[in-house]
Amino acid sequence: MIKFFDKVQDSGLYQAFITKLSPLLTEPQFTKYLTPVYNETKDWKGIEAYIGRIPMASLIGEHSGSPIVGTLQPAEIRGRLPMFGNTVPFSSDELDEIDKLEKFIEQNIAKGNESFAGQLTDQLTTLLVNRYIDMLAGMPLTAIDKLFFEMWSNGTETIIAADNLAKLSYQIDWQVQKYHVGTVWSDAANANGLSDLDKFCYKAWKDLGFRPDTLALNGDEVRKLLAMTSTKTAISSYITNGGVQTKVSGIASVDNVNMVLNGQYRLPVMTEINHVIETLDSDGITVKSRNNAFVDGRVAATIGTNIGAYMYTLAAEQKRPDGDYTYATAPNNVLLSSISKKGNLSMDSKLNALPVLTVRKQIVILVTDDTTTGSAL
């Protein structure tokens, strides 16, 4: 049996170990919606080549810290793909705990207790994945998830300085067309969400020339829609769908609303996005906040759900490895590095990547929580 500490001290064993654990790691959500695209460098020019433009609102002056939109020759300034990562330290006490469990496994194998040894091995694997490896390889991907769902639902990508260990802020505005409702959806007595969605999809066709087949929103927005008096009235009347009339009574459901959208308005049904993003405290473990990944107060209309690219490039150490470290690559090109000093072990992860919107002319966003953002329906 090769011990955990020995595995992470050899790059070949380290890679084999991470490859074996990969199916147990938390799956990010963005891989369902983005196409992987390798970029040679961290330069924004790579994105310009892929989608034909650089989002000017994302470019920040090096010295002023302010957007450079409207200044001279902004296209000549090169932005950089951000780097995300995490650090997971192992104290000598934690390594002793792992050693103790490994010795217990070896003893049971020697005694022929294969079944019990297998249970202990599963226990060790769960410990390593949940406490260490998932935090290490998963946190950069959580950052990508956060940016992706914000891009889809609000047309922006934002990182707040207080929410990352580097204390750096980051912002992109993809300049997606937005419309606002006449009455906010939280006003259940007066809002008319079904009519808003009808006008919204018509605007997509008239203003941008595409017919959406996907209406994406989070569960909280769905609940607001179901609570509206206008929605309850619509589903309690006779609904015609496929030549069949249905009368609905009682509590409104998503299926009822989708029947109205598809049968009466000839609109796409709702795609409910309920993924949640957790922001960790400075210790990298304590959950500081949990928020809907798909931004509250937004509905996004698109053609399908493949709306962009997962653009990534190699980290510097993938090109020029440091002799003091061992390395492995986790799924989605997350680089893991390990170093041991004075009986302790530290692992780092690095990822240079960014979600890139490639359907800017085939996406529109409806703002349901204010009546000023964007254009009127």
Side-chain angles (χ1 to χ4, degrees):
M1 177 181 178
I2 303 176
K3 301 292 184 66
F4 166 72
F5 188 79
D6 295 329
K7 290 177 183 177
V8 299
Q9 298 300 301
D10 177 276
S11 289
L13 294 175
Y14 192 13
Q15 183 62 66
F17 173 64
I18 294 300
T19 299
K20 184 178 180 180
L21 292 184
S22 291
L24 304 177
L25 301 178
T26 301
E27 285 280 348
Q29 296 293 305
F30 70 84
T31 55
K32 302 174 184 177
Y33 310 102
L34 299 179
T35 301
V37 174
Y38 173 69
N39 197 41
E40 286 290 340
T41 71
K42 292 186 286 186
D43 203 311
W44 272 110
K45 291 293 184 181
I47 292 177
E48 183 184 33
Y50 187 65
I51 65 171
R53 63 185 293 277
I54 296 176
M56 291 293 103
S58 73
L59 301 178
I60 304 298
E62 180 180 357
H63 302 293
S64 68
S66 302
I68 62 168
V69 176
T71 59
L72 295 176
Q73 299 178 317
E76 294 183 3
I77 297 180
R78 297 180 175 223
R80 309 281 284 176
L81 290 176
M83 183 177 74
F84 305 98
N86 199 10
T87 298
V88 176
F90 292 74
S91 68
S92 58
D93 289 341
E94 290 174 310
L95 291 173
D96 288 343
E97 179 185 353
I98 295 170
D99 282 341
K100 183 178 179 179
L101 191 52
E102 288 176 326
K103 288 177 182 177
F104 200 25
I105 292 170
E106 286 182 326
Q107 290 170 2
N108 278 273
I109 291 175
K111 293 177 181 179
N113 299 329
E114 297 289 342
S115 178
F116 186 49
Q119 294 176 29
L120 292 173
T121 301
D122 291 343
Q123 180 182 335
L124 175 60
T125 300
T126 300
L127 170 70
L128 292 173
V129 169
N130 292 349
R131 191 186 296 182
Y132 305 106
I133 307 302
D134 212 17
M135 297 288 292
L136 186 70
M139 292 312 296
L141 302 178
T142 297
I144 299 296
D145 267 349
K146 188 267 181 195
L147 293 176
F148 162 68
F149 281 111
E150 182 190 343
M151 177 182 78
W152 187 2
S153 57
N154 196 53
T156 59
E157 298 182 45
T158 307
I159 297 174
I160 301 172
D163 287 344
N164 65 87
L165 297 179
K167 302 303 178 188
L168 297 174
S169 58
Y170 191 86
Q171 185 173 18
I172 300 172
D173 185 345
W174 293 99
Q175 301 172 349
V176 174
Q177 176 65 52
K178 293 178 181 174
Y179 301 96
H180 62 254
V181 296
T183 303
V184 294
W185 280 16
S186 57
D187 184 352
N190 297 300
N192 192 328
L194 295 174
S195 176
D196 289 337
L197 293 176
D198 182 34
K199 295 175 183 176
F200 177 49
C201 290
Y202 182 74
K203 281 286 189 179
W205 168 240
K206 283 300 183 181
D207 292 355
L208 275 79
F210 78 98
R211 295 189 186 277
D213 64 11
T214 301
L215 292 174
L217 66 172
N218 69 35
D220 288 342
E221 296 308 303
V222 172
R223 282 187 282 276
K224 291 176 188 175
L225 186 59
L226 296 179
M228 293 176 192
T229 301
S230 58
T231 301
K232 294 175 182 178
T233 300
I235 68 168
S236 63
S237 61
Y238 282 96
I239 301 170
T240 302
N241 189 21
V244 177
Q245 284 194 330
T246 304
K247 182 176 175 62
V248 179
S249 61
I251 300 173
S253 72
V254 172
D255 289 341
N256 298 153
V257 173
N258 280 336
M259 189 182 295
V260 174
L261 287 174
N262 192 247
Q264 303 292 91
Y265 289 98
R266 299 295 189 268
L267 298 178
V269 299
M270 296 182 293
T271 298
E272 188 174 344
I273 307 293
N274 285 317
H275 188 58
V276 173
I277 298 293
E278 293 184 344
T279 301
L280 301 183
D281 213 338
S282 58
D283 61 5
I285 298 174
T286 306
V287 176
K288 183 166 63 173
S289 64
R290 290 184 179 90
N291 298 292
N292 288 321
F294 203 94
V295 175
D296 294 336
R298 300 293 185 272
V299 180
T302 57
I303 299 176
T305 57
N306 189 333
I307 64 169
Y310 169 60
M311 184 165 284
Y312 66 94
T313 191
L314 298 178
E317 289 168 89
Q318 286 172 296
K319 302 174 183 177
R320 296 174 293 278
D322 190 315
D324 293 332
Y325 288 81
T326 53
Y327 296 96
T329 303
N332 300 295
N333 200 53
V334 179
L335 177 67
L336 308 183
S337 60
S338 175
I339 189 169
S340 172
K341 286 186 178 180
K342 298 181 179 180
N344 297 321
L345 177 69
S346 180
M347 291 183 176
D348 293 321
S349 59
K350 295 182 178 69
L351 172 66
N352 291 110
L354 190 70
V356 177
L357 186 67
T358 57
V359 295
R360 198 175 67 89
K361 294 299 184 182
Q362 291 184 323
I363 178 173
V364 287
I365 294 170
L366 179 64
V367 179
T368 67
D369 59 357
D370 78 59
T371 57
T372 58
T373 301
S375 305
L377 287 174

